Amino acid sequence: MVVAYARPVENHLPPRTAAFFDLDKTVIAKSSTLAFGRSFYQGGLINRRAVLRTAYAQFVYLVGGADHDQMEGMRKYLSELCKGWNVQQVREIVAETLHDLIDPIIYDEAASLIEEHHAAGRDVVIVSASGSEVVEPIGEMLGADHVVATRMIVEDGAYNGEIEHYVYGPAKAAAIEELARSEGYDLERSFAYSDSITDIPMLESVGHPYAVNPDRALRREAVAREWPVLTFNRPVRLNQRIPNLSMPPAPVLAFAAVGAAAATAGLVWLAARRRRPAIMS
């Protein structure tokens, strides 16, 4: 008599992979939050001087980026500025302006890359130091599978001036690794895209790093490491690039406040810092 024994079927499915994108100047043509300056001024949250300096801060940011010390200074400055802001007021301001600010500034090249990664079966993850209130609705518009962003603390309906989780520098890489463990991503076969030297840890965490519109320091590093360098220069209106996309509901958009103000305030701080004369040793 012949006895047949069932053998377990081995799972030969390949491990999951992902594409991790920084947001500002990588997917979006400028700071995703600077344009809120006038709206916050009209709402009484910032003064006229800050509004007038926003344009200069945007120029400095786009041309030169920001190094580690400047980013740390921004974090302190923005957390102090936002302390005490009424969350409901901020929600109302952002609800009125987010659509007009975000719609026109997505890079066509970035949208194509997102589509290609999805077509290849990869998850798309937006990883940004900007506030989650801004990044999450943008990620939804882009069709991202996950969003990792900075979170600020709210107490009694107001921002208390503290940051719960700052997704910047090594913290970006740590967040990517944590998400990879929970989602089962093979980071060696995954991709990452960024414009800033401060995102070296993020780029190092994957097997396929790309420098996009890199600042000078990242360009030098990319050349030295033989990382591909991409140039994105075709911003398009998101609703024209992907006509079927719909905006998130107003309550979701409205909660996009503190990240916007944070970036505006931080870049105003950066502009002031860069205008100071250097101290000779």
Side-chain angles (χ1 to χ4, degrees), residues 201-216:
M202 169 182 172
L203 296 172
E204 288 177 332
S205 68
V206 300
H208 301 284
Y210 287 79
V212 177
N213 298 340
D215 56 32
R216 293 188 185 93

PDB file of all heavy atoms in Angstrom, residues 201-216:
ATOM      1  N   PRO A 201      20.572  60.377   6.031  1.00  0.00           N
ATOM      2  CA  PRO A 201      20.178  59.125   6.707  1.00  0.00           C
ATOM      3  C   PRO A 201      18.998  58.431   6.028  1.00  0.00           C
ATOM      4  O   PRO A 201      18.966  57.196   5.939  1.00  0.00           O
ATOM      5  CB  PRO A 201      19.814  59.595   8.115  1.00  0.00           C
ATOM      6  CG  PRO A 201      20.600  60.849   8.308  1.00  0.00           C
ATOM      7  CD  PRO A 201      20.598  61.514   6.974  1.00  0.00           C
ATOM      8  N   MET A 202      18.044  59.190   5.554  1.00  0.00           N
ATOM      9  CA  MET A 202      16.899  58.623   4.837  1.00  0.00           C
ATOM     10  C   MET A 202      17.363  57.924   3.565  1.00  0.00           C
ATOM     11  O   MET A 202      16.946  56.797   3.274  1.00  0.00           O
ATOM     12  CB  MET A 202      15.905  59.740   4.508  1.00  0.00           C
ATOM     13  CG  MET A 202      14.801  59.364   3.536  1.00  0.00           C
ATOM     14  SD  MET A 202      13.734  60.800   3.182  1.00  0.00           S
ATOM     15  CE  MET A 202      12.724  60.129   1.851  1.00  0.00           C
ATOM     16  N   LEU A 203      18.223  58.575   2.798  1.00  0.00           N
ATOM     17  CA  LEU A 203      18.698  57.998   1.544  1.00  0.00           C
ATOM     18  C   LEU A 203      19.567  56.768   1.791  1.00  0.00           C
ATOM     19  O   LEU A 203      19.517  55.794   1.027  1.00  0.00           O
ATOM     20  CB  LEU A 203      19.467  59.058   0.747  1.00  0.00           C
ATOM     21  CG  LEU A 203      18.632  60.265   0.286  1.00  0.00           C
ATOM     22  CD1 LEU A 203      19.523  61.340  -0.329  1.00  0.00           C
ATOM     23  CD2 LEU A 203      17.562  59.831  -0.712  1.00  0.00           C
ATOM     24  N   GLU A 204      20.332  56.801   2.870  1.00  0.00           N
ATOM     25  CA  GLU A 204      21.194  55.664   3.195  1.00  0.00           C
ATOM     26  C   GLU A 204      20.401  54.434   3.632  1.00  0.00           C
ATOM     27  O   GLU A 204      20.924  53.317   3.594  1.00  0.00           O
ATOM     28  CB  GLU A 204      22.159  56.040   4.323  1.00  0.00           C
ATOM     29  CG  GLU A 204      23.257  57.000   3.912  1.00  0.00           C
ATOM     30  CD  GLU A 204      24.128  57.389   5.097  1.00  0.00           C
ATOM     31  OE1 GLU A 204      23.621  57.386   6.242  1.00  0.00           O
ATOM     32  OE2 GLU A 204      25.316  57.698   4.871  1.00  0.00           O
ATOM     33  N   SER A 205      19.154  54.632   4.044  1.00  0.00           N
ATOM     34  CA  SER A 205      18.391  53.522   4.608  1.00  0.00           C
ATOM     35  C   SER A 205      17.832  52.570   3.554  1.00  0.00           C
ATOM     36  O   SER A 205      17.315  51.511   3.901  1.00  0.00           O
ATOM     37  CB  SER A 205      17.237  54.072   5.462  1.00  0.00           C
ATOM     38  OG  SER A 205      16.273  54.725   4.661  1.00  0.00           O
ATOM     39  N   VAL A 206      17.934  52.951   2.263  1.00  0.00           N
ATOM     40  CA  VAL A 206      17.387  52.100   1.209  1.00  0.00           C
ATOM     41  C   VAL A 206      18.496  51.695   0.229  1.00  0.00           C
ATOM     42  O   VAL A 206      19.583  52.275   0.215  1.00  0.00           O
ATOM     43  CB  VAL A 206      16.261  52.823   0.435  1.00  0.00           C
ATOM     44  CG1 VAL A 206      15.128  53.209   1.376  1.00  0.00           C
ATOM     45  CG2 VAL A 206      16.797  54.041  -0.303  1.00  0.00           C
ATOM     46  N   GLY A 207      18.161  50.720  -0.609  1.00  0.00           N
ATOM     47  CA  GLY A 207      19.127  50.252  -1.594  1.00  0.00           C
ATOM     48  C   GLY A 207      19.198  51.089  -2.848  1.00  0.00           C
ATOM     49  O   GLY A 207      20.168  51.010  -3.608  1.00  0.00           O
ATOM     50  N   HIS A 208      18.168  51.932  -3.072  1.00  0.00           N
ATOM     51  CA  HIS A 208      18.111  52.731  -4.299  1.00  0.00           C
ATOM     52  C   HIS A 208      17.812  54.186  -3.963  1.00  0.00           C
ATOM     53  O   HIS A 208      16.674  54.644  -4.079  1.00  0.00           O
ATOM     54  CB  HIS A 208      17.040  52.179  -5.245  1.00  0.00           C
ATOM     55  CG  HIS A 208      17.257  50.751  -5.644  1.00  0.00           C
ATOM     56  ND1 HIS A 208      18.194  50.356  -6.576  1.00  0.00           N
ATOM     57  CD2 HIS A 208      16.658  49.615  -5.203  1.00  0.00           C
ATOM     58  CE1 HIS A 208      18.154  49.051  -6.716  1.00  0.00           C
ATOM     59  NE2 HIS A 208      17.238  48.571  -5.883  1.00  0.00           N
ATOM     60  N   PRO A 209      18.844  54.950  -3.533  1.00  0.00           N
ATOM     61  CA  PRO A 209      18.643  56.361  -3.204  1.00  0.00           C
ATOM     62  C   PRO A 209      18.769  57.252  -4.438  1.00  0.00           C
ATOM     63  O   PRO A 209      19.577  56.986  -5.344  1.00  0.00           O
ATOM     64  CB  PRO A 209      19.769  56.640  -2.214  1.00  0.00           C
ATOM     65  CG  PRO A 209      20.868  55.709  -2.636  1.00  0.00           C
ATOM     66  CD  PRO A 209      20.206  54.480  -3.209  1.00  0.00           C
ATOM     67  N   TYR A 210      17.973  58.327  -4.469  1.00  0.00           N
ATOM     68  CA  TYR A 210      18.025  59.299  -5.563  1.00  0.00           C
ATOM     69  C   TYR A 210      18.043  60.709  -4.979  1.00  0.00           C
ATOM     70  O   TYR A 210      17.248  61.032  -4.079  1.00  0.00           O
ATOM     71  CB  TYR A 210      16.808  59.170  -6.476  1.00  0.00           C
ATOM     72  CG  TYR A 210      16.824  57.953  -7.369  1.00  0.00           C
ATOM     73  CD1 TYR A 210      16.477  56.703  -6.865  1.00  0.00           C
ATOM     74  CD2 TYR A 210      17.182  58.056  -8.714  1.00  0.00           C
ATOM     75  CE1 TYR A 210      16.485  55.572  -7.684  1.00  0.00           C
ATOM     76  CE2 TYR A 210      17.188  56.938  -9.540  1.00  0.00           C
ATOM     77  CZ  TYR A 210      16.841  55.703  -9.014  1.00  0.00           C
ATOM     78  OH  TYR A 210      16.856  54.589  -9.832  1.00  0.00           O
ATOM     79  N   ALA A 211      18.926  61.555  -5.506  1.00  0.00           N
ATOM     80  CA  ALA A 211      18.939  62.975  -5.155  1.00  0.00           C
ATOM     81  C   ALA A 211      18.092  63.719  -6.179  1.00  0.00           C
ATOM     82  O   ALA A 211      18.336  63.626  -7.384  1.00  0.00           O
ATOM     83  CB  ALA A 211      20.364  63.514  -5.150  1.00  0.00           C
ATOM     84  N   VAL A 212      17.092  64.460  -5.701  1.00  0.00           N
ATOM     85  CA  VAL A 212      16.171  65.182  -6.581  1.00  0.00           C
ATOM     86  C   VAL A 212      16.341  66.679  -6.361  1.00  0.00           C
ATOM     87  O   VAL A 212      16.213  67.161  -5.228  1.00  0.00           O
ATOM     88  CB  VAL A 212      14.714  64.781  -6.305  1.00  0.00           C
ATOM     89  CG1 VAL A 212      13.768  65.595  -7.189  1.00  0.00           C
ATOM     90  CG2 VAL A 212      14.501  63.300  -6.519  1.00  0.00           C
ATOM     91  N   ASN A 213      16.665  67.427  -7.430  1.00  0.00           N
ATOM     92  CA  ASN A 213      16.898  68.866  -7.290  1.00  0.00           C
ATOM     93  C   ASN A 213      17.787  69.143  -6.078  1.00  0.00           C
ATOM     94  O   ASN A 213      17.453  69.971  -5.214  1.00  0.00           O
ATOM     95  CB  ASN A 213      15.575  69.619  -7.141  1.00  0.00           C
ATOM     96  CG  ASN A 213      14.680  69.480  -8.349  1.00  0.00           C
ATOM     97  OD1 ASN A 213      15.134  69.151  -9.442  1.00  0.00           O
ATOM     98  ND2 ASN A 213      13.392  69.730  -8.174  1.00  0.00           N
ATOM     99  N   PRO A 214      18.927  68.471  -5.959  1.00  0.00           N
ATOM    100  CA  PRO A 214      19.683  68.498  -4.694  1.00  0.00           C
ATOM    101  C   PRO A 214      20.308  69.856  -4.400  1.00  0.00           C
ATOM    102  O   PRO A 214      20.697  70.599  -5.313  1.00  0.00           O
ATOM    103  CB  PRO A 214      20.779  67.447  -4.936  1.00  0.00           C
ATOM    104  CG  PRO A 214      20.947  67.419  -6.421  1.00  0.00           C
ATOM    105  CD  PRO A 214      19.585  67.650  -6.995  1.00  0.00           C
ATOM    106  N   ASP A 215      20.418  70.185  -3.106  1.00  0.00           N
ATOM    107  CA  ASP A 215      21.207  71.343  -2.720  1.00  0.00           C
ATOM    108  C   ASP A 215      22.673  71.027  -2.985  1.00  0.00           C
ATOM    109  O   ASP A 215      23.041  69.905  -3.334  1.00  0.00           O
ATOM    110  CB  ASP A 215      20.952  71.723  -1.256  1.00  0.00           C
ATOM    111  CG  ASP A 215      21.218  70.585  -0.276  1.00  0.00           C
ATOM    112  OD1 ASP A 215      22.105  69.745  -0.535  1.00  0.00           O
ATOM    113  OD2 ASP A 215      20.534  70.526   0.772  1.00  0.00           O
ATOM    114  N   ARG A 216      23.540  72.029  -2.837  1.00  0.00           N
ATOM    115  CA  ARG A 216      24.950  71.841  -3.231  1.00  0.00           C
ATOM    116  C   ARG A 216      25.599  70.693  -2.468  1.00  0.00           C
ATOM    117  O   ARG A 216      26.324  69.878  -3.040  1.00  0.00           O
ATOM    118  CB  ARG A 216      25.726  73.140  -2.988  1.00  0.00           C
ATOM    119  CG  ARG A 216      25.310  74.300  -3.878  1.00  0.00           C
ATOM    120  CD  ARG A 216      26.264  75.474  -3.709  1.00  0.00           C
ATOM    121  NE  ARG A 216      25.831  76.635  -4.458  1.00  0.00           N
ATOM    122  CZ  ARG A 216      25.072  77.612  -3.980  1.00  0.00           C
ATOM    123  NH1 ARG A 216      24.666  77.542  -2.709  1.00  0.00           N
ATOM    124  NH2 ARG A 216      24.725  78.629  -4.717  1.00  0.00           N
TER     125      ARG A 216
END
